[in-house]
């Protein structure tokens, strides 16, 4: 089945039951999984990846890398990628269908821009709505040519540059995907590619590029903005990559454990990259009983075990500067805020409008349907909780958005009338065993037949 093939919608309902307890190993980090497959495909020698996320999004990247000439062996314990070397990707024989995955689309466009190949790229209805102009602009400067639908949307055709140019690029939006696309294009350019960010975003690409042998220097400019410089045409060498648990996936059982009375849940081996941990900081400010234990380093990324215990939460103000470090966590933070005492204001969240769905509207409409007071503006959201779960009882339209689906199922575990999501299918993109894993902790979540 193509990654964007549409299966029949699967309605799933969550209802309050007893306390949640136990240990849950969350699936591998989605961002790091994509990057391991891509850099493995550009390296010389095998890259062995353990803990790879086996979600639909990452499988779309694997299929695309195979179509671009990498050899990928899916083993039981580990996946192995045999790369083509920097500059060695070959022309795909068919359309690359990247399903729901914005990270696959934007990062692969960067890779392709640095190779003299032509590719046709598409995705599902959600991905075909999302903005690609933000990567097309810098990649045209590198020398790639694009033919797109209006507004720079997918499907598009890209012809990469025969002699890619090393560029200096000031990101107009704080986006790790755009930064990574420019750096990946710069791999096959002669000279130094430099990217300046308006706010720091996740740095998994930079960390992994270094681990594979590239020269990457990071500094601050006179305004304090981070500048990442990559020396082009490195020899990348295949590595052993251990993918940590995804903090963005851990967020769902973690918030569930904080909200369901009497719960105590341990989540071992979760990635603690400081550009990903904004939710944990915010929840602690709200008064959450959230322990961070056994902090350690694993293959160049910090990890720790998280222990969450239920207790009361208070509303807080979340500053705009924190948004990039928790950009995927606002749906579940809003659910926590709906149960907290008082008003939680989230600033600088305009980017939520261009995620897998318009999450600002999705969160606001879904919470209102569950009886929660919500206010929102162009780039802010305020949720007022009563210090107790809201009534619930609604059916939420997930709009092909895995995180909207999981966040509202978490709300259903405490909302008096439960919550139904109209389609849990999108959860396969990032947390394939979510329902079973939550049931393993004692949650009452069931498919409606
Ligand atoms: C990602 C970066 C973020 C995030 C996405 C994954 C990545 O997007 O929302 O889920 O892997 O680089 P932006 O960089 O567009 O904000």
């Amino acid at each position: 089945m193509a990654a964007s093939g549409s299966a029949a919608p699967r309605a799933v309902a969550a209802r309050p039951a007893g306390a949640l307890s136990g240990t849950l190993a969350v699936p591998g980090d989605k961002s790091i999984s994509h990057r391991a497959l891509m850099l493995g495909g550009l390296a010389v020698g095998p890259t062995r990846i353990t803990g790879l996320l086996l979600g639909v999004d990452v499988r779309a990247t694997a299929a695309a890398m195979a179509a671009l000439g990498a050899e990928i062996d899916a083993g039981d314990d580990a996946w192995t990628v045999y790369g083509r070397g920097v500059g060695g990707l070959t022309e795909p024989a068919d359309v690359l269908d990247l399903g729901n995955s914005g990270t696959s689309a934007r990062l692969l466009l960067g890779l392709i821009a640095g190779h003299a190949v032509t590719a046709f790229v598409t995705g599902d209805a959600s991905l075909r709505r999302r903005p690609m102009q933000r990567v097309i602009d810098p990649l045209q400067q590198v020398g790639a040519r694009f033919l797109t639908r209006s507004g720079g949307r997918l499907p598009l055709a890209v012809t990469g540059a025969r002699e890619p140019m090393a560029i200096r690029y000031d990101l107009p939006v704080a986006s790790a995907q755009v930064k990574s696309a420019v750096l990946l294009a710069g791999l096959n350019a002669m000279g130094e590619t430099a990217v300046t960010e308006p706010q720091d975003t996740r740095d998994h690409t930079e960390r992994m590029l270094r681990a594979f042998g590239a020269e990457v220097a990071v500094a601050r400019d006179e305004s304090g903005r981070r500048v990442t410089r990559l020396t082009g045409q490195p020899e990348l060498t295949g590595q052993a990559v251990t993918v940590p648990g995804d903090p963005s996936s851990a967020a769902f059982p973690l918030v569930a454990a904080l909200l369901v009375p009497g719960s105590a849940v341990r989540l071992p081996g979760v990635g603690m990259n400081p550009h990903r941990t904004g939710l944990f900081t915010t929840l602690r400010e709200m008064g959450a009983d959230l322990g961070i234990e056994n902090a350690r380093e694993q293959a160049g990324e910090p990890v720790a075990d998280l222990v969450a215990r239920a207790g009361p939460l208070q509303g807080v103000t979340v500053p705009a500067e924190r948004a990039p470090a928790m950009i995927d966590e606002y749906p579940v933070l809003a659910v926590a805020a709906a149960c907290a005492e008082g008003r939680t204001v989230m600033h600088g969240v305009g980017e939520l409008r261009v995620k897998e769905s318009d999450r600002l509207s999705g969160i606001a409409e879904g919470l209102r349907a569950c009886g929660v007071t919500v206010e929102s503006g162009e780039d802010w959201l305020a949720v007022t909780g009563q210090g107790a779960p809201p009534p619930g009882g609604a059916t939420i339209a997930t709009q092909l958005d895995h995180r909207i689906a999981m966040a509202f199922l978490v709300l259903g575990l405490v909302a008096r009338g439960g919550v139904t999501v109209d389609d849990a299918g999108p959860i396969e993109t990032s947390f394939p065993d979510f329902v079973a894993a939550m049931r393993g902790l004692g949650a009452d979540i069931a498919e409606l037949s």
Side-chain angles (χ1 to χ4, degrees):
M1 189 182 71
S4 64
S6 50
R10 287 194 293 118
V12 168
R15 289 183 307 195
L20 305 179
S21 66
T23 297
L24 166 55
V26 297
D29 189 277
K30 186 151 71 70
S31 293
I32 295 174
S33 295
H34 287 300
R35 287 156 170 83
L37 290 167
M38 291 182 199
L39 292 194
L42 288 180
V44 173
T47 288
R48 193 181 140 82
I49 312 169
T50 46
L52 187 76
L53 169 63
L54 300 179
V56 175
D57 278 12
V58 174
R59 290 180 188 273
T61 289
M65 288 307 297
L68 286 159
E71 192 188 322
I72 301 183
D73 283 351
D76 289 338
D77 302 331
W79 283 43
T80 308
V81 184
Y82 301 90
R84 307 284 306 201
V86 170
L89 297 182
T90 53
E91 186 156 287
D94 202 351
V95 176
L96 303 178
D97 182 348
L98 304 174
N100 193 248
S101 180
T103 309
S104 309
R106 300 205 177 101
L107 271 59
L108 284 166
L109 288 177
L111 273 190
I112 294 166
H115 286 76
V117 301
T118 292
F120 297 85
V121 179
T122 193
D124 72 3
S126 157
L127 191 57
R128 281 183 269 119
R129 278 192 293 268
R130 297 182 67 186
M132 292 297 146
Q133 199 61 44
R134 52 178 60 191
V135 286
I136 292 172
D137 287 340
L139 297 177
Q140 278 174 331
Q141 294 178 27
V142 170
R145 286 175 296 132
F146 292 84
L147 191 61
T148 75
R149 281 172 64 224
S150 56
R153 316 269 150 168
L154 300 181
L156 62 71
V158 51
T159 298
R162 190 161 296 281
E163 287 183 17
M165 300 275 293
I167 63 166
R168 304 186 166 270
Y169 194 67
D170 270 17
L171 290 183
V173 281
S175 166
Q177 293 181 352
V178 182
K179 171 179 65 178
S180 300
V182 175
L183 292 173
L184 292 174
L187 274 176
N188 199 27
M190 219 193 313
E192 187 185 86
T193 292
V195 188
T196 304
E197 302 177 79
Q199 283 173 277
D200 292 7
T201 66
R202 65 191 70 188
D203 61 354
H204 304 303
T205 303
E206 300 90 299
R207 285 176 189 249
M208 202 180 286
L209 277 169
R210 273 205 199 100
F212 275 72
E215 212 178 298
V216 180
V218 178
R220 298 272 162 196
D221 70 7
E222 59 291 345
S223 332
R225 296 179 307 168
R226 189 169 64 182
V227 185
T228 303
R229 293 191 172 81
L230 166 74
T231 306
Q233 301 186 332
E235 170 121 336
L236 300 182
T237 310
Q239 299 293 313
V241 179
T242 307
V243 181
D246 196 325
S248 299
S249 296
F252 300 102
L254 189 150
V255 169
L258 297 177
L259 298 182
V260 177
S263 298
V265 167
R266 170 177 285 270
L267 305 164
V270 176
M272 294 296 287
N273 182 304
H275 303 294
R276 300 287 300 281
T277 50
L279 175 74
F280 307 150
T281 307
T282 304
L283 289 170
R284 282 179 145 183
E285 288 173 0
M286 294 173 83
D289 183 349
L290 172 58
I292 298 172
E293 298 177 0
N294 198 14
R296 56 206 186 268
E297 182 109 344
Q298 186 181 289
E301 290 276 353
V303 298
D305 304 338
L306 301 180
V307 183
R309 290 189 183 79
L313 300 176
Q314 282 85 47
V316 293
T317 295
V318 189
E321 308 82 76
R322 199 178 291 161
M326 55 179 296
I327 193 64
D328 292 332
E329 280 63 79
Y330 286 99
V332 79
L333 173 66
V335 163
C339 303
E341 171 83 55
R343 192 163 180 257
T344 294
V345 189
M346 305 161 217
H347 291 289
V349 294
E351 273 292 296
L352 296 186
R353 296 198 184 277
V354 292
K355 293 298 176 186
E356 285 81 331
S357 68
D358 175 348
R359 286 185 178 156
L360 249 181
S361 308
I363 295 167
E365 282 163 26
L367 286 182
R368 281 191 195 114
C370 291
V372 182
T373 302
V374 184
E375 305 145 83
S376 63
E378 204 37 55
D379 76 341
W380 62 274
L381 184 72
V383 175
T384 303
Q386 305 299 326
T395 297
I396 306 299
T398 55
Q399 316 265 21
L400 292 177
D401 191 325
H402 53 135
R403 300 198 204 281
I404 292 289
M406 287 185 277
F408 278 96
L409 287 174
V410 169
L411 184 61
L413 299 178
V414 285
R416 294 189 290 284
V419 174
T420 299
V421 299
D422 69 345
D423 187 11
I427 296 174
E428 300 286 326
T429 61
S430 67
F431 200 153
D433 294 325
F434 175 74
V435 171
M438 294 301 292
R439 288 170 70 132
L441 296 176
D444 183 348
I445 304 186
E447 198 144 333
L448 300 180
S449 49

